[in-house]
Amino acid sequence: MKFAGVHLLVDLWDATNLADPDLIDRTLREAALAAGATILHSHFHHFTPNGGVSGVVVLAESHISIHTWPERDFAAVDIFMCGACDPHLAIPVMQRTFQALRVDLDEQRRGRIG
Amino acid sequence: MKFAGVHLLVDLWDATNLADPDLIDRTLREAALAAGATILHSHFHHFTPNGGVSGVVVLAESHISIHTWPERDFAAVDIFMCGACDPHLAIPVMQRTFQALRVDLDEQRRGRIG
């Protein structure tokens, strides 16, 4: 079985630090590097009035995105990486910042061949 | 069952127009509007030498991303939308540009409560 990349969908529950776009930007960049990825671009948007953050880090090996709902202590992350990266290595870096009490992880193989 | 948003993972096979970042940017923006979303930011990167494109449209209602492999006629798209948007409405707009002969669609409910 060959495939183009691994796509992790990560739901973070009872999490903290979900309303600080600079911290979230730094965390996702550090998570990308921990996974062995190369950062091309990042953009984060801070919503008012709820304080939620939406953003993405575009990688040479695909992307990491996050959308946070601070009022629910919830964040939805996806980590899509191809090549030699290991997207699972991004998760502990995020957990150091977000300290989610529950992490729901779904793993998809994108572009399966054969 | 309540949830934060619908996340579609769309694999496009035997597709065309996968190496033109401006066309892909326009297509994803049009697709976002067709789904009822509000565009906040977009960024597209053109890889050399294979011509592949990676990019994202950040939305008030989450994001659309794409990663293309022109040498395989393959693209991996994800469409994550919360609120009143219908992410399924983005797909026909993409199909007008990419004309994939096969579309593999996976639908995830993110942030399920109860």
Side-chain angles (χ1 to χ4, degrees):
Chain A
M1 178 79 80
K2 292 177 65 177
F3 50 93
V6 174
H7 202 156
L8 304 182
L9 305 185
V10 189
D11 282 1
L12 303 175
W13 296 93
D14 296 313
T16 58
N17 290 320
L18 298 179
D20 181 339
D22 294 334
L23 175 63
I24 293 173
D25 189 340
R26 285 199 306 277
T27 298
L28 265 62
R29 286 174 165 270
E30 188 184 342
L33 297 176
T38 302
I39 296 167
L40 298 174
H41 173 84
S42 73
H43 179 84
F44 289 82
H45 183 86
H46 198 192
F47 292 95
T48 53
N50 82 330
V53 174
S54 273
V56 68
V57 182
V58 179
L59 307 170
E61 301 84 1
S62 295
H63 73 265
I64 302 178
S65 79
I66 189 166
H67 306 282
T68 76
W69 282 261
E71 73 278 19
R72 300 187 204 175
D73 302 318
F74 172 74
V77 171
D78 74 310
I79 309 168
F80 182 18
M81 292 186 183
C82 54
C85 298
D86 181 351
H88 292 276
L89 298 177
I91 295 174
V93 176
M94 294 193 197
Q95 270 290 72
R96 281 208 299 274
T97 294
F98 302 122
Q99 301 173 45
L101 297 184
R102 194 177 112 212
V103 177
D104 289 347
L105 176 64
D106 181 73
E107 178 170 340
Q108 303 282 334
R109 304 280 167 119
R110 303 296 302 273
R112 277 180 293 199
I113 301 163
Chain B
M1 177 81 79
K2 292 178 65 177
F3 50 93
V6 174
H7 201 156
L8 304 182
L9 304 185
V10 189
D11 282 1
L12 303 175
W13 297 93
D14 297 313
T16 59
N17 290 320
L18 298 180
D20 181 339
D22 293 334
L23 175 63
I24 294 173
D25 189 341
R26 285 200 305 277
T27 299
L28 265 61
R29 286 173 164 272
E30 188 184 342
L33 296 176
T38 301
I39 296 166
L40 297 175
H41 174 82
S42 73
H43 179 83
F44 289 83
H45 183 84
H46 198 193
F47 293 95
T48 53
N50 82 330
V53 174
S54 272
V56 68
V57 182
V58 179
L59 308 170
E61 301 84 2
S62 294
H63 73 265
I64 302 178
S65 79
I66 189 167
H67 305 284
T68 76
W69 283 261
E71 73 277 20
R72 301 188 204 173
D73 303 317
F74 172 73
V77 171
D78 74 309
I79 308 168
F80 181 18
M81 292 184 183
C82 54
C85 298
D86 181 352
H88 292 276
L89 297 178
I91 296 175
V93 176
M94 295 193 198
Q95 270 290 73
R96 281 207 299 273
T97 293
F98 301 123
Q99 301 174 43
L101 297 183
R102 194 178 112 213
V103 177
D104 290 346
L105 175 64
D106 180 73
E107 178 170 340
Q108 302 282 334
R109 305 280 166 118
R110 304 296 302 273
R112 277 179 293 199
I113 302 164

